[in-house]
Amino acid sequence: MNTKSEDKKISRRSFLYSSIILSTGFFSYPAMSVAARVQSLSRDTYPDIGLALGSGGANGLAHIPVLETLDELKIKPAVISGTSIGAIIGVLYASGYSGHELRKMALDLFAPDESLFGSWWDRLTGAGLSGLLSPGLGDGVLLDATGIMEFIQKKIRVKYFEDLDIPVKIVAADYWRKKQVVFSSGEIIPAVNASMAVPGLFAPVEFQGRLLVDGAVVNPVPYDLLLDECDFLVAVDVSGVKKKVNEGRPSYLDSIFSTFEIMQQAIMDEKLKQRPPDIYLRPEIIDVRLINFLEVQNILEQAEPARIQLKALLREMLEIHAEK
């Protein structure tokens, strides 16, 4: 691969003086001096890089190219935080899977079956989660997550946070107390289950004396958990972009999911005004519904421009640090 043509050179001025939102076409938040951050690091110590992986349902598959970029540059995060799909991919990566292995897993898992015998549930919902998710209407919710939790447990092959190769922080929300809950020790699966319990889609999770729901309702991209724990911070927002404007009222599912996304965007707007991360990456994933995992190939392709920009930025950061 021709890296010179692939990695468009980002000017040193734009790198040094901008906190960048990548692949959305605009710069909407006050700049932080990335140069100051890099120059303040110890000359002899490799910078601790934190990685925050956000919520976004199927769009979260766009986290995979980010992880592939880190692997290619031989960057191992010192710590990872994740919400919802970000929590799932974060613990898989922290358990030892490479970005390339996660790509293969996703492509295999969500390959559409267009045959007559393909899953009726997949055809109805467009989810691509046959065998992992089953209808949960009898419990007052749309889906039962038991299958996917068993799948994740089998894949990570460890039970406790302490056994992961990279420390991970997972965000959920306490339903009754209306507060953020952060898990970084103890059992992994209940924490992941709670973090992805989208209201109306999955049932709330009872764990450690709390009733927990999706962490995205309080912290969609939990980079703030890592601000004081690393030298350099990359946050990945996979909330996606809606461009289609449909006439009439939204469907039941679209109403739930789109309202959820509006809330998350409002939270992120306020967080970014206060203290943005060093790199805020937002791949432009267009018009993919929350549970449409059958769009895996499309999502990965749409994330490619952001991956290229991130790779160039991280190379600049490493070069500046090496020149010190």
Side-chain angles (χ1 to χ4, degrees):
M1 182 177 292
N2 188 339
T3 56
K4 288 185 179 180
S5 61
E6 178 189 75
D7 301 329
K8 296 179 180 179
K9 187 70 172 177
I10 296 177
S11 73
R12 187 166 294 267
R13 178 179 296 275
S14 68
F15 173 77
L16 293 179
Y17 299 108
S18 296
S19 176
I20 297 178
I21 295 182
L22 298 173
S23 292
T24 55
F26 59 89
F27 303 81
S28 60
Y29 297 99
M32 292 178 64
S33 176
V34 177
R37 290 277 278 165
V38 176
Q39 294 295 342
S40 69
L41 306 182
S42 169
R43 180 190 301 271
D44 301 321
T45 303
Y46 189 83
D48 285 338
I49 295 178
L51 178 65
L53 303 177
S55 62
N59 286 339
L61 297 174
H63 288 314
I64 293 174
V66 171
L67 300 176
E68 290 176 313
T69 299
L70 297 180
D71 292 343
E72 185 177 350
L73 297 177
K74 299 187 183 336
I75 294 174
K76 181 178 181 179
V79 60
I80 297 172
S81 63
T83 297
S84 202
I85 186 69
I88 295 173
I89 291 180
V91 298
L92 286 168
Y93 187 69
S95 72
Y97 288 94
S98 68
H100 177 73
E101 289 170 330
L102 291 176
R103 176 183 287 263
K104 185 178 185 305
M105 186 187 301
L107 289 171
D108 290 344
L109 185 61
F110 304 125
D113 183 353
E114 298 178 356
S115 72
L116 178 64
F117 302 101
S119 164
W120 70 270
W121 185 244
D122 285 352
R123 294 199 303 272
L124 177 64
T125 65
L129 294 168
S130 178
L132 298 183
L133 294 176
S134 57
L137 297 177
D139 297 320
V141 293
L142 185 61
L143 298 173
D144 180 352
T146 302
I148 198 167
M149 290 300 105
E150 292 174 349
F151 173 82
I152 295 169
Q153 178 69 80
K154 181 180 178 180
K155 289 296 183 181
I156 64 176
R157 298 186 294 274
V158 298
K159 186 175 182 179
Y160 300 103
F161 281 90
E162 291 81 357
D163 297 324
L164 295 170
D165 293 340
I166 301 171
V168 173
K169 298 186 177 204
I170 289 177
V171 175
D174 187 315
Y175 178 82
W176 293 116
R177 295 179 178 85
K178 301 177 177 61
K179 292 182 178 180
Q180 172 176 271
V181 180
V182 180
F183 296 99
S184 59
S185 62
E187 292 186 63
I188 297 170
I189 293 303
V192 172
N193 195 7
S195 185
M196 59 164 275
V198 179
L201 188 62
F202 298 110
V205 175
E206 293 185 43
F207 184 54
Q208 295 182 349
R210 300 182 178 101
L211 187 66
L212 303 168
V213 296
D214 195 314
V217 304
V218 288
N219 201 343
V221 187
Y223 69 83
D224 51 302
L225 303 182
L226 309 182
L227 284 168
D228 298 321
E229 295 193 16
C230 57
D231 300 311
F232 198 86
L233 180 54
V234 178
V236 188
D237 183 339
V238 291
S239 55
V241 178
K242 292 289 187 297
K243 290 194 174 180
K244 290 181 181 178
V245 178
N246 299 318
E247 295 182 358
R249 294 180 179 274
S251 68
Y252 168 76
L253 288 180
D254 284 336
S255 179
I256 292 177
F257 298 158
S258 294
T259 302
F260 198 61
E261 290 164 357
I262 292 169
M263 176 192 66
Q264 292 177 69
Q265 186 60 58
I267 293 171
M268 289 310 303
D269 286 346
E270 290 304 311
K271 282 183 60 177
L272 288 164
K273 289 177 185 177
Q274 300 302 317
R275 190 178 173 188
D278 298 297
I279 295 177
Y280 183 71
L281 182 70
R282 189 177 178 186
E284 193 172 14
I285 312 301
I286 300 172
D287 293 329
V288 175
R289 294 176 66 186
L290 186 73
I291 59 173
N292 197 355
F293 287 88
L294 291 179
E295 290 284 333
V296 54
Q297 189 65 55
N298 178 36
I299 294 165
L300 293 173
E301 289 174 0
Q302 290 194 65
E304 187 64 12
R307 184 198 70 79
I308 292 172
Q309 289 179 286
L310 175 65
K311 183 177 176 182
L313 266 179
L314 289 175
R315 275 184 168 170
E316 289 277 353
M317 185 272 290
L318 294 173
E319 287 174 6
I320 292 173
H321 186 254
E323 290 171 0
K324 289 173 55 181

